[in-house]
Amino acid sequence: MSFEVKEKDLLARIGKLKTKTGTIETPLLFPVINPSIQPIPPKRLREEFGFEAIITNAYILKKRYGDKVADEGLHKFLGFDGAVMTDSGAYQILVYGGVEVSQAEIVNYQERIGSDIATILDIPTGWSVTKENATGTVEETLRRAKDFFKVKTRDDILWVGPVQGGRHLDLVEESAVEMGKLPFQIHALGSPTEVMESYRYDVLADMIMTAKMNLPVDRPLHLFGAGHPAMFALAVALGCDLFDSAAYALYARENRYMTENGTWRLNELDYFPCQCPKCASETPKQVVGKTAKERETFLAEHNLHVCLGELRRIKQAIRDGRLWEHLEMRAHAHPALLTAVKKLRKYEDFIEKHSPITKRSGLFFLDSHGLTRPEVVHYRNRLSERYSPPEKAKILLLASQAVPQGKRIPRNQPSPQTLKREKQKRRARLLLCCTLRSNAHRA
Ligand SMILES: [Zn+2]
């Protein structure tokens, strides 16, 4: 198996994905490279920023550069010695309604240029489509996915089987179930860009969870076109392992400054809320005074630093078992993100089943949203399965007795057995209290 999970929290995982060029660590962001207009050369992305992988578009490469890329090899052509993923032109189908290439041609091209991770020519569903059209995209993508295995010749490339269906969750389910039966190494969820642009993170959470619950859980999941750091925590927590970002460059071109809590226009800023090497060396006023090209490069570099910084924080949170706390913090930056977190109650049993229950440190309950976290769901389910209240009891009232922060242990310490018993009692009270609060919350 090319994907090995090292750490888990919620549905997130830190994993190692083996490609023919090298092993990359997930969750991972692929910066999108457009060889014709690229603000930061791929070589610098590797050496200065430490990106292990990039993504580019095989359809554009084929159209503009043809056999030159195959002759030189993709890595040499781009000047990047890390892993390179290629998309197939599906995005162009979404934007322009079609491409001048067949699936067999683009699969063959990706094999010839030497992609490490490559994509079949799927049909993106998009956002504003009728159910009938959405069904058409799912069926055609599945037909091409089955067809693909008759066309491919190389086994050292990791192939991506995209899931379509858009906001039609029954179609996403069907697409995920059928795609999951085929021997792809990676899956991807298509069409989230427009959902994210309209801030429908609740719909996005439904789409991701529907795909996740119906795909083989041991295969990595790529979220196409998800490149804003404000939503990484949500997507990673729901089990997305790979992302690609064209947004860092597109935002830069429009003078938009990314932060992990949202986006600012450059001219709105008096101070940079960032400590990356770019922002530490200049003020917003100085950057506004630069030429358009210099400004674009400055912002593209800052945007990538922010994305990388947020992914590092997320990975550390996974290791510490604190991803839920991190997610709640990010969700409180925007009502649309908070709506998505509230929606997770619908999926709490699935999340609980796949998330570690024991933690290295205590949990922080910030508000009632914490009642959805897997540790609470786990013990709440155990209580309702295994605890029988006294026969005549009509109302059961329990109070939590958490130890206040910083409380000192008395000098004449009780025996370890007494301490253990007390701890168990406290935990039982706290959990039962959570159960009652949660049930009251639901009622
Ligand atoms: Zn910065």
Side-chain angles (χ1 to χ4, degrees), residues 196-197 199 201 227-229 245-259 262-265 296 299-300 303:
M196 287 184 286
E197 277 169 3
Y199 287 88
Y201 293 116
H228 200 295
S245 174
Y248 78 95
L250 298 174
Y251 277 44
R253 214 168 295 153
E254 296 163 3
N255 288 319
R256 291 199 282 168
Y257 179 97
M258 286 177 170
T259 80
T263 311
W264 301 87
R265 297 220 162 262
E296 186 186 328
L299 287 172
N303 288 345

Side-chain angles (χ1 to χ4, degrees), residues 40-57:
I40 312 167
K43 194 173 157 63
R44 278 193 62 213
L45 290 175
R46 178 92 164 140
E47 289 170 2
E48 285 179 38
F49 292 77
F51 277 102
E52 295 175 62
I54 53 176
I55 184 170
T56 190
N57 189 308

Side-chain angles (χ1 to χ4, degrees), residues 32-39 55-56 60 64-65 78 248 253:
V32 175
I33 300 300
N34 182 337
S36 317
I37 34 164
Q38 181 55 29
I55 184 170
T56 190
I60 293 178
R64 296 213 183 126
Y65 306 98
L78 293 172
Y248 78 95
R253 214 168 295 153

Side-chain angles (χ1 to χ4, degrees), residues 47-107:
E47 289 170 2
E48 285 179 38
F49 292 77
F51 277 102
E52 295 175 62
I54 53 176
I55 184 170
T56 190
N57 189 308
Y59 174 66
I60 293 178
L61 288 179
K62 186 174 188 302
K63 226 177 149 190
R64 296 213 183 126
Y65 306 98
D67 284 344
K68 186 174 187 287
V69 189
D71 294 344
E72 278 185 32
L74 180 60
H75 298 75
K76 193 170 170 218
F77 176 80
L78 293 172
F80 189 83
D81 61 4
V84 183
M85 177 174 176
T86 43
D87 195 2
S88 55
Y91 179 73
Q92 282 64 30
I93 296 178
L94 187 64
V95 177
Y96 306 113
V99 286
E100 300 149 7
V101 72
S102 71
Q103 155 143 299
E105 283 170 327
I106 203 69
V107 165

Side-chain angles (χ1 to χ4, degrees), residues 67-68 77 104-105 166 184 194 214 234 246 315 356 388:
D67 284 344
K68 186 174 187 287
F77 176 80
E105 283 170 327
F184 287 105
E194 288 164 293
N214 291 289
L234 176 69
K315 284 194 214 175
S388 330

Side-chain angles (χ1 to χ4, degrees), residues 257 274-276 278-279 302 305-306:
Y257 179 97
C274 172
Q275 273 306 312
C276 82
K278 303 305 292 178
C279 299
H302 154 80
H305 278 298
V306 179

Side-chain angles (χ1 to χ4, degrees), residues 211-365:
K212 195 76 195 171
M213 288 162 73
N214 291 289
L215 283 168
V217 78
D218 57 343
R219 295 183 193 170
L221 180 63
H222 183 113
L223 189 60
F224 270 130
H228 200 295
M231 53 74 65
F232 286 167
L234 176 69
V236 173
L238 300 188
C240 298
D241 306 286
L242 305 166
F243 304 88
D244 60 278
S245 174
Y248 78 95
L250 298 174
Y251 277 44
R253 214 168 295 153
E254 296 163 3
N255 288 319
R256 291 199 282 168
Y257 179 97
M258 286 177 170
T259 80
E260 56 277 15
N261 290 317
T263 311
W264 301 87
R265 297 220 162 262
L266 180 63
N267 58 11
E268 291 170 349
L269 287 170
D270 291 317
Y271 308 94
F272 282 135
C274 172
Q275 273 306 312
C276 82
K278 303 305 292 178
C279 299
S281 63
E282 299 199 64
T283 65
K285 204 174 166 189
Q286 287 170 321
V287 180
V288 169
K290 287 174 182 286
T291 65
K293 188 80 205 146
E294 287 169 342
R295 215 164 40 232
E296 186 186 328
T297 305
F298 178 97
L299 287 172
E301 292 189 19
H302 154 80
N303 288 345
L304 281 178
H305 278 298
V306 179
C307 292
L308 283 173
E310 177 61 0
L311 279 176
R312 282 196 293 267
R313 276 181 225 113
I314 289 171
K315 284 194 214 175
Q316 190 62 43
I318 296 172
R319 287 211 52 163
D320 294 343
R322 290 202 171 276
L323 186 58
W324 183 273
E325 282 89 336
H326 186 83
L327 174 61
E328 277 202 51
M329 206 166 65
R330 289 288 174 260
H332 280 84
H334 197 288
L337 277 169
L338 194 59
T339 306
V341 169
K342 285 179 190 165
K343 200 152 213 186
L344 300 189
R345 197 180 302 148
K346 196 169 142 191
Y347 305 107
E348 62 183 18
D349 287 330
F350 182 84
I351 296 174
E352 184 267 324
K353 198 174 144 205
H354 294 276
S355 182
I357 296 305
T358 51
K359 288 287 152 81
R360 290 172 192 158
S361 56
L363 315 177
F364 287 163
F365 286 91

